[in-house]
Amino acid sequence: MSQSRSGGSDGTLIQAVSCLEGYDPDALRVDKAREAIRACLHPVAEIERVPVREALGRVLAEEIVPSLNVPGHDNSAMDGYALRGADLSASQAVSLTLAGTAFAGKPHSGRVGPGQCIRVMTGAVMPEGADTVVVQEVCRAEGNAVTVPAGQKAGQNVRFAGEDLKAGVPVLAPGQPLRAAELGLIASLGIGEVSVRRRLRVAFFSTGDELASIGKPLAPGEVYDSNRYTLHGLLAGLGVEILDLGVVRDDPALLEAAFRKAAASADAVLTTGGVSVGEADFIKQLMAQLGEVLFWKIAMRPGRPMAFGRIGSGRDAAFLFGLPGNPVAVMVTFTQFVRDALLVLSGRTSGLDLPLLRAASASAIRKVPGRTEYQRGVVYRDGTDWKVRTTGQQGSGVLRSMSEANCFIVLEHERGNVAAGEPVQVQLFEGLL
Ligand code: AMP
Ligand code: MG
C-alpha cells in the first residue's frame, strides 16, 4: 500500500498546463480550464478492503473476474413446461406426457425423453434433454397430458448458463464506481469483500469579513454564509469525506492557519471568496506562497475568477480550488470543474462528464459570443416535446435561481443570441446537485 497522498510531485503545474494548446490564464475557455485541471490530477493511491455493502459509493480498485458462471446452469425464464423443441409443431397442437416437476433450487433428476415434458418454475434448472419452455398460460393440462399449441418456437424462454456473467471474463475494471447494480453483481459472484480506493478527503472554508455563521444575529452589512451549505450538499453526493472548516475572516494570519490545516488534513481544499479582482490581494498572495497556485479568468458566466493549484508539501499537500464567492458562481464552478476533478482524484475513470441533452428554448436568450454561459433553466414537457425556459433573473448572487432550476442551459463559447424555439444544450441537475 502506497503512503503517498493524492497528487504527484512530478513537475510543476505550470509545466503541465502551459503546454496545452490555447492555454491563456486571462481568458481561459471552460474546456481548456477543465483540461488543464485534469492534466495535473493524480488519484489517491491507498487501497482498502471493505465488505460489499460498505463499498457503496466507493471506487473499485481491482478487476473483478468471475470465477463462476451466472447463472450457473441453463434455466427456465418462465413458469411453464420444459420440453424438447423437436417435439413442437408449427401447424398443430401436440400432446405431451408430464414426467415430473422442477422448482428453482430443486432440479428434476431425470431426463426428458421424446414426447415428454416437465413442469418448471422460473429459475428452475433446465431438465436434461429439454431445450425449450412453453409458458403455462398457453398450455392445457389434464392429468398427465399437456397440450401445447401450434407455433411455439424451439429454444424459447431459456436463460443460458453464463449469459449474465461468464467465468474468466472480466466484468468490472478498476475505477468503476460501485452503485447498487455493482453491489448486486459482485454479490452474485459470491464475493464478500472488495478492494476500493481510500475515500477522498475534502476540506472547505468560506472567506469574507462580511460573513456571519448561522446562530448569530447579523451586524449591518453582514450576510449569512450559505456557500458552506451548498458545498456540503454538493460534496455529499460524491462519496467523499467532508471537513467543514467554517468561516475565516479576511485576515492573513487566520487564513494562513486555515490553509495549512486544510492542506494537512485533506486531499483537496475548496475555498469560496477572495479570488475576484476587487478582493484584498493578500488572499491570492497567501495562496501563492503556500504552494503553486494558478489564477485564472475563465471565459464563463457566472464564475469568471478561479484559482487552481497545489498547496502544502509532501504528505501535507492538497489540491486547491479557489472558487468565487458569489453563491451561484460557487455552484457553477463546482459542477463544471470541481466535481469531475474530485471524481478523478477519487480514482474514478468513467462517468466524469455530465451529459448534455438538447431541448428547444421556449424564448429568446441574449448571449454574447466569447464565453460559456450557464443559465439556470427549467426543462418541462410541452405535449410530446421537451422545452426549456430560464428561471428569470440570472444574477450570480441570486441563489433562488438555482433552487427554482432543474438544469443549466449551457450556451457554448462561440454562440450568440438564441432565438425562441432554437435548440440549446441542457445539463440536468436531477441526482447531481
Ligand atoms: P468575493 O468573491 O469574496 O468578492 O464575494 C463575492 C460576493 O459573494 C459578495 O457579495 C459576497 O458577500 C458573496 N459571498 C462570498 N462568500 C459568501 C458565502 N460564503 N455565502 C454567501 N455569500 C457569499
Ligand atoms: Mg470576499
Side-chain angles (χ1 to χ4, degrees), residues 52-53 64 68 70 165 172 180-194:
V52 177
R53 256 189 252 272
I64 301 290
L68 42 87
V70 179
L165 306 174
L172 297 177
E182 285 75 28
L183 295 200
L185 195 149
I186 291 165
S188 76
L189 293 169
I191 297 171
E193 263 190 2
V194 284

Side-chain angles (χ1 to χ4, degrees), residues 206-207 210-211 223-227 272-276 279 324-327:
S206 297
T207 71
E210 77 281 29
L211 302 180
V223 294
Y224 283 118
D225 170 18
S226 62
N227 287 345
T272 65
V275 291
S276 55
E279 289 288 319
N326 274 307

Side-chain angles (χ1 to χ4, degrees), residues 13-14 27 32 39 76 85 99 131 139 142 152 159 175 263 282 284 320 329 332 342 354 381 422 427 432:
L13 298 183
I14 193 68
K32 284 291 153 194
S76 174
D131 57 10
C139 299
E142 278 172 329
Q152 298 295 310
R159 303 190 287 216
F282 66 83
K284 284 183 256 184
L320 172 72
V332 171
L342 296 182
L354 295 174
R381 212 180 147 131
E422 240 179 78
Q427 211 168 46
L432 299 167

Side-chain angles (χ1 to χ4, degrees), residues 209 249-253 255 259 274 279-289:
D209 280 339
R249 309 250 136 244
D250 288 329
D251 170 303
L255 281 165
F259 275 116
E279 289 288 319
D281 269 347
F282 66 83
I283 298 188
K284 284 183 256 184
Q285 275 173 26
L286 189 59
M287 283 183 178
Q289 277 164 25

